Each structure stands twice: as structure tokens, then as C-alpha cells.
Amino acid sequence: MKYERSDSFLRDLSRLPSEHYALFKDAVCKHFLPALTQGAHTGHLPWPVRLRIHKLAGTDIYSMTWNFASPDGRATFRFTTEDDGETILQWRRIGDHSIYDRP
């Protein structure tokens, strides 16, 4: 699987405090990536409950909650496919609940 970061994600990331980014990376490394490896994105395994991953209504974009308290940590992502069939995970936004205005 390939990974991409949208311009919006990179812009959000540049404003995110380093301690918040550390919490995001920890959630991704400990919970999100292992679930991907086991096929959660294909439906073979459920996503980790602690990440509250769900599809945003009327879109192909998913939301992940990487922290519930201060900071309110959210990230959005979607899956696309290359011409050769390889799956691409695109990180779209990162921050707090306000990222849902333009996921």
C-alpha cells in the first residue's frame, strides 16, 4: 500500500503542535497500521474501536479520532486505487473537529 498526504493535510500538519503530532503518530503506529496490515480496510477485520473510524456521510472519506480529550485529535483519509490496482491511502486533513467542515 502506498501513502500520500494532501496539501491540506500538510498545511494542517504545519500548524499542529508537535506534542499533538506525536499522539497522532503513536495512534497510527500502534493501532492504525496494524489494522491495515490485517485487512481492516477491506472489511476482513474491524477497525480498532479506540480509533472510532467511520465513513463520513455522503463521501468516500473516513474519519479517525486519535485523541478524545485535549487535544481533540481527528484525521481524515480515503483510499484510492492506482491503474495497476495498488491501494493508496491518502491522508486529507488533521486537527480537531473543525476539519469536518472541509474533510
Side-chain angles (χ1 to χ4, degrees):
M1 180 176 298
K2 290 185 179 179
Y3 304 92
E4 294 178 350
R5 296 179 295 177
S6 70
D7 291 341
S8 297
F9 182 88
L10 294 173
R11 196 170 30 256
D12 293 342
L13 187 59
S14 71
R15 294 183 282 227
L16 197 68
S18 59
E19 58 272 12
H20 296 194
Y21 182 61
L23 292 169
F24 169 73
K25 276 181 53 174
D26 187 60
V28 168
C29 291
K30 288 182 180 173
H31 305 286
F32 186 79
L33 292 178
L36 274 180
T37 300
Q38 295 177 19
H41 63 295
T42 64
H44 289 111
L45 180 80
W47 288 105
V49 173
R50 75 174 314 276
L51 296 179
R52 295 183 55 194
I53 293 175
H54 62 281
K55 201 171 200 179
L56 299 177
T59 72
D60 65 344
I61 299 170
Y62 291 83
S63 170
M64 176 182 93
T65 301
W66 47 269
N67 201 49
F68 294 100
S70 182
D72 171 24
R74 315 288 174 125
T76 60
F77 61 95
R78 72 178 180 158
F79 296 101
T80 60
T81 307
E82 284 195 332
D83 292 338
D84 64 3
E86 183 171 6
T87 302
I88 301 170
L89 168 75
Q90 181 190 51
W91 291 105
R92 297 188 44 87
R93 300 292 309 270
I94 187 170
D96 59 21
H97 201 269
S98 67
I99 66 171
Y100 294 148
D101 293 339
R102 296 176 53 202

